[in-house]
Amino acid sequence: MSTPPAPAIHAARNAVIVMFVLNGALFGVWASRIPTVSAKLSLDPGALGMLLLLMGGGAIAAFPLAGRWVDRHGAARTTVWIAAIHALSILGIGLAPSVATLAGALFFFGATHGAMDVAMNSWAGAVERHLPRPMMSRFHASWSVGAGIGAASGYGAIKLGLPLLAHAAIVIGVVAAVSLWLAAPPSKSPLWAPKPPSSAAHAPLFSLPKGSMLLVGLIAMCASLGEGAMADWGAIFLMTTTGVTEASAAIGYAVFSVAMVIMRLGGDRVTHRIGPVRTARMAGIIATIGVGMAVGVASYPVTLIGFALMGVGYAVIMPLAFSRATSDPVLSPGKAVASLATLGYGGLLLGPPVIGFIADATSIRVSFAMLMGLAALMAALAPALARPH
C-alpha cells in the first residue's frame, strides 16, 4: 500500500477531528435541551428513561449497517454522508409534537449518531495508520470538546429563550455547515477514495467478534459500563456515601470528565512511548485504584480523587480498542468497529440498570465495588490490544 503525501494525510487528520467535534456538538445540543423537551411534552422520569433507551436502541441497530456501508463505500465517504443526515436529524426532535413522534425522532437521531460513530472511528483508524504516532485518543478528546461546545450553545439558547428547533437550525447552519465544508475531500485524495468492494461488503450483516476481537470487545464493555455508571450514578454515590449536597455531588462527574479529557489529550503520547498493551494495563490498574478509593473511604475529597483516577483509567481504553479494531486481521474494518461499538454501547446501556439493580439488592457502595473487578479485568485482558503483525 503506497503512502499518501503528507499534505493529504494532514488534511484527512484534520477532517476526522472536525467530524468528531461535530458528532460531539450535536450530542451536546441534545443533552443540553433534554429538560426543554421533557417540559414541552410533560414527560415523567420513567417516560424519559424509555425514550433515552430507545435512542440507544437506534444506535445499536445502526451499527452493523454502518459497518457494511464503510466496507462498501469507504469510511471517509460514509462519514461525511451520515454526518449530513445526522445534523438534520436533530430538527426532528425540535419538530416532534407528541411523545410518539418524539420516540421516532429520537430513534432516528440515535441511529444516525451511532452510524456516524462507526464510520468516523473507522476513518480515524485508517488515517492513524499513516501517522508517525498514535492519535486515536486525541480524536476522542475532540468529541468531548465538541460536546462541550454543543452544551454551551444550549446554555446560550436557553438564556436567549430560543426553542430547540431554532437552536438546532442555528447549529446546523453554522457548526454543521462549516464542519462538512472542512471535511470535504481535496481533489483525488487517496484517503477519501472508496475502496474496491470486497467480500466483507456482502457478508452476513450481524456477526459476533471473532478471536482476540472478542476480548477487545470485552475490554471496551468494561470501560463503557464504568463510564455509564459514573454518568448516571456518580452523583448519587457521592450523596449517599459522603452525605454532601446535590450541588457538591454534581462536581463528581465534572471531575471525572475533566480528568478523562486531559488524559485523552496526552494518551497518544503515552501509547507511543510504552505501547498499547502496557498503556491499557496501567489504565486498568489506575481505574481499579480509583474505584477502590471511592468505595473504601467515605470521604468527599478522597472520593473525588478516586473519580479523577477512574477518568484517567477509562480515558484511553476505547481509543485503544478502536485502533485495534481497525487493524484486525480477521474482520473487515467496518465490521470490526461495528461489533466493537455494539459491545461498547451495550456497556453504556447495561451499566446504569445493573448498578441500580445491585444497589437496590445491597447498597450503592457494593454496586460500585463491581466496577473495581471490571477495571481489574481490563488490566488482565490488556494483551488483546496488541497490534497484529
Side-chain angles (χ1 to χ4, degrees):
M1 180 177 61
S2 61
T3 302
I9 295 174
H10 293 155
R13 178 201 61 195
N14 294 338
V16 171
I17 289 173
V18 165
M19 290 293 95
F20 271 82
V21 170
L22 174 59
N23 188 269
L26 293 171
F27 185 83
V29 168
W30 153 244
S32 69
R33 302 307 298 266
I34 289 175
T36 302
V37 174
S38 182
K40 175 185 173 182
L41 297 177
S42 302
L43 300 174
D44 59 41
L48 180 60
M50 289 300 297
L51 288 170
L52 294 176
L53 192 62
L54 190 64
M55 190 174 86
I60 290 177
F63 289 151
L65 289 170
R68 171 161 292 186
W69 293 334
V70 165
D71 290 331
R72 182 172 293 174
H73 303 292
R77 181 172 294 186
T78 302
T79 300
V80 175
W81 285 351
I82 295 176
I85 298 170
H86 184 43
L88 294 174
S89 71
I90 200 168
L91 294 175
I93 300 174
L95 287 168
S98 66
V99 174
T101 53
L102 178 62
L106 283 176
F107 184 86
F108 185 64
F109 179 78
T112 55
H113 183 81
M116 186 178 173
D117 193 271
V118 168
M120 69 186 187
N121 274 289
S122 299
W123 192 10
V127 171
E128 187 184 45
R129 287 195 292 274
H130 294 289
L131 296 171
R133 59 181 57 195
M135 196 169 172
M136 188 66 79
S137 188
R138 273 174 287 176
F139 288 145
H140 281 247
S142 301
W143 188 95
S144 299
V145 171
I149 293 171
S153 76
Y155 175 81
I158 292 170
K159 285 292 185 181
L160 293 172
L162 291 177
L164 175 56
L165 186 60
H167 176 199
I170 292 171
V171 170
I172 292 170
V174 179
V175 179
V178 171
S179 298
L180 291 169
W181 174 69
L182 291 173
S187 178
K188 298 181 180 178
S189 174
L191 286 171
W192 272 264
K195 297 190 304 181
S198 66
S199 58
H202 305 285
L205 190 59
F206 294 93
S207 66
L208 292 173
K210 298 180 176 67
S212 59
M213 267 304 298
L214 187 59
L215 299 179
V216 175
L218 184 57
I219 295 172
M221 178 175 278
C222 290
S224 62
L225 197 152
E227 286 186 50
M230 281 298 301
D232 287 15
W233 290 96
I236 295 174
F237 178 88
L238 273 171
M239 292 173 65
T240 304
T241 60
T242 67
V244 296
T245 64
E246 184 177 352
S248 296
I251 296 174
Y253 187 66
V255 168
F256 173 83
S257 300
V258 169
M260 178 172 279
V261 171
I262 292 173
M263 184 58 201
R264 280 184 169 169
L265 289 172
D268 295 315
R269 183 172 297 179
V270 176
T271 302
H272 181 66
R273 295 190 67 174
I274 68 175
V277 174
R278 291 175 65 188
T279 301
R281 185 176 290 121
M282 183 173 65
I285 292 171
I286 290 172
T288 303
I289 294 171
V291 180
M293 291 177 67
V295 170
V297 183
S299 161
Y300 180 64
V302 172
T303 301
L304 288 183
I305 295 172
F307 280 12
L309 291 177
M310 290 168 70
V312 170
Y314 290 139
V316 296
I317 297 299
M318 289 302 287
L320 287 173
F322 277 116
S323 288
R324 171 62 181 79
T326 58
S327 59
D328 189 71
V330 178
L331 295 175
S332 65
K335 192 169 287 294
V337 171
S339 62
L340 176 64
T342 301
L343 290 173
Y345 271 73
L348 281 173
L349 291 175
L350 285 174
V354 168
I355 290 291
F357 176 77
I358 296 175
D360 186 57
T362 55
S363 70
I364 187 73
R365 192 185 295 274
V366 171
S367 64
F368 261 62
M370 176 192 69
L371 300 181
M372 187 159 55
L374 295 177
L377 183 60
M378 292 190 317
L381 295 177
L385 294 173
R387 293 287 183 88
H389 297 293

